[in-house]
Amino acid sequence: MISAIDATLQPASQRVRLLKGLVSGIVLVSNLVWTSPAVAADVSQLPPGLQAKVDLAAQACAEFNDGQFDLDWGAVERVDLDGDLQPDWVLNESGFACSSAASLYCGTGGCISHFLIEEEVHSLLNRGWTVVEFGRQRIVLADVHGTNCDGINPTLCATASVWDAEAKTWRSSAGDWE
């Protein structure tokens, strides 16, 4: 750590770099706090709509050769999906595991993620997703199966969706590129 006396002896450009590094570190840590997976204790407190998804998955596992269901770390995330500064819930089936079936919950098209906003659960088959800010909007970007883009499985394809709070639905557009 640099003392106050050492900091005043350094050139201004070096102090600016140090300050930028400090700010970047604070932003990184705050992003980890806001988008980190929920701890195991949070799983027992899942909202009913998501708990029903977990119960169905556990039942399917038990019915398949008496398998044991497990919810891996990161299956439950809290992230602001709609820009209201309140963390919403996401349940990722990529974090589901069944002892008797390696691919019970995911396939070549990816895994289903269940997004809960305002007591509404909407599900999307995807190979990964993230949330980005674009102006005033929070947009969910997802890597989806190539058939969504008039292709086949390996065809590159993505979707961008924004939450419409008034209609309580996700809005997406395929966009017509020329």
Side-chain angles (χ1 to χ4, degrees):
M1 201 61 160
I2 298 174
S3 70
I5 295 171
D6 292 337
T8 58
L9 298 175
Q10 294 176 345
S13 62
Q14 201 171 14
R15 287 193 308 260
V16 168
R17 266 194 312 245
L18 288 171
L19 184 58
K20 284 182 180 177
L22 178 62
V23 170
S24 295
I26 292 169
V27 168
L28 176 64
V29 170
S30 67
N31 282 340
L32 291 174
V33 169
W34 281 100
T35 61
S36 63
V39 295
D42 290 338
V43 174
S44 66
Q45 300 171 10
L46 280 175
L50 296 182
Q51 187 62 55
K53 302 290 185 186
V54 171
D55 294 345
L56 283 173
Q59 180 182 351
C61 179
E63 291 173 358
F64 191 84
N65 294 330
D66 200 29
Q68 297 297 310
F69 177 76
D70 188 36
L71 197 64
D72 291 340
W73 178 258
V76 177
E77 294 183 64
R78 300 295 309 269
V79 60
D80 181 11
L81 297 169
D82 56 0
D84 67 356
L85 303 178
Q86 299 298 314
D88 300 297
W89 293 85
V90 182
L91 177 65
N92 298 297
E93 290 191 11
S94 60
F96 290 8
C98 180
S99 63
S100 59
S103 61
L104 188 60
Y105 308 107
C106 300
T108 59
C111 308
I112 295 177
S113 294
H114 308 281
F115 299 87
L116 183 130
I117 301 176
E118 302 174 20
E119 305 307 316
E120 297 283 328
V121 177
H122 294 265
S123 305
L124 179 68
L125 179 65
N126 68 89
R127 293 179 255 201
W129 62 270
T130 191
V131 177
V132 297
E133 288 187 35
F134 185 72
R136 298 177 313 139
Q137 303 294 329
R138 303 272 298 167
I139 299 173
V140 174
L141 300 176
D143 176 3
V144 294
H145 195 276
T147 56
N148 291 299
C149 293
D150 297 325
I152 58 174
N153 183 28
T155 302
L156 298 176
C157 188
T159 185
S161 305
V162 63
W163 179 252
D164 181 338
E166 188 175 315
K168 296 189 184 289
T169 192
W170 288 98
R171 301 281 185 199
S172 301
S173 172
D176 293 324
W177 291 77
E178 293 184 20

